[in-house]
Amino acid sequence: MPALHDLLAANPYPGRGVLCARTHSGAVLGGYFLTGRSPASRDRALRLIDGELVVGPLAPGEHDPLRHYAAVTATSDWLVVGNGEQVAQAAQRLRAGASPTDALSGFAYEPDPPIRTSRLTALISRDGGRTTVFGAARPSRAARLTSNVMTLAVQDLQAGEAVLLTTYESDGQQVSVAAPFTEVTVNARNGAELLDEIWGALDERFRIAAAVIDPTEGAECAIQRSS
């Protein structure tokens, strides 16, 4: 399997990404990162607001649902991590009793042609992270405009293993939809080292913010880096 650092370093503009990793100490952790090219995209920060990690503008301004959203929230049983407003919707469904697969169903990729950015979500169980259910609403590579909706359940990651979803594969100029998911290895022994592993691999021209979250503790105890 490729190493997380190497995979991200080879993809200068991955857009946004979510991952679940088991460190070499045995802890299962969630991760989220944000990159941007345009001034509007880079005019964002990741903040803890009312127990959620929220992506919002650097200064108070008009809300843009494609750029501003809760990226990390939690229910009693699940940590919910993702790249858009579907995070809040999935959490609401879980609180109402939906199964993880049902909570991730019915979403569509973002209405941002011509890119058609995927909506990516990870549900990480708060029982020590034994189960993670990933969801992706992705555009087809064919001509049709309907979304491909994928769910992937991952159980019992071994130490040093992770699963990564990113929105893009890009050299910073040409952008295409990334692969549905990639299994990778990590070197990190703890959350701080995992955050360093992510942050150090992201191209400094585009990186905006990243966070690592312990699902047993929730967003309140996330560790973060920002430009």
Side-chain angles (χ1 to χ4, degrees):
M1 292 192 295
L4 173 65
H5 180 280
D6 295 345
L7 190 72
L8 289 177
N11 186 14
Y13 179 51
R16 289 162 281 170
V18 300
L19 74 152
C20 179
R22 185 180 289 276
T23 67
H24 285 274
S25 68
V28 174
L29 303 173
Y32 168 83
F33 60 83
L34 173 68
T35 63
R37 296 185 302 171
S38 69
S41 182
R42 296 192 57 78
D43 181 35
R44 291 184 289 178
L46 191 61
R47 299 184 178 93
L48 182 64
I49 301 175
D50 296 331
E52 299 180 321
L53 283 180
V54 176
V55 178
L58 291 173
E62 184 177 352
H63 177 75
D64 180 344
L66 294 184
R67 293 188 298 119
H68 308 145
Y69 50 87
V72 183
T73 190
T75 71
S76 58
D77 296 321
W78 300 93
L79 183 76
V80 186
V81 184
N83 70 330
E85 290 193 329
Q86 81 278 0
V87 169
Q89 296 168 15
Q92 184 178 20
R93 293 174 183 178
L94 290 167
R95 294 186 185 106
S99 69
T101 300
D102 287 342
L104 296 171
S105 68
F107 295 130
Y109 59 77
E110 295 182 359
D112 61 342
I115 296 176
R116 299 187 291 168
T117 299
S118 301
R119 294 191 188 272
L120 309 176
T121 317
L123 310 180
I124 306 174
S125 61
R126 303 189 69 186
D127 59 358
R130 181 177 178 184
T131 300
T132 300
V133 183
F134 294 93
R138 308 174 67 249
S140 170
R141 293 182 184 270
R144 60 188 172 81
L145 298 180
T146 53
S147 297
N148 292 334
V149 180
M150 176 205 79
T151 57
L152 172 73
V154 177
Q155 292 187 308
D156 299 326
L157 285 171
Q158 298 299 297
E161 292 181 351
V163 177
L164 169 71
L165 282 69
T166 64
T167 53
Y168 309 136
E169 293 175 359
S170 173
D171 59 4
Q173 299 297 322
Q174 300 299 315
V175 176
S176 61
V177 176
F181 68 92
T182 307
E183 294 178 283
V184 297
T185 62
V186 297
N187 293 321
R189 294 168 294 179
N190 53 47
E193 290 185 3
L194 181 60
L195 183 60
D196 287 344
E197 203 165 330
I198 296 167
W199 191 253
L202 295 174
D203 192 306
E204 62 184 19
R205 295 173 297 170
F206 305 119
R207 65 188 184 189
I208 297 172
V212 168
I213 314 96
D214 185 334
T216 63
E217 297 179 342
E220 295 90 342
C221 297
I223 52 176
Q224 300 182 55
R225 293 283 293 274
S226 59
S227 298

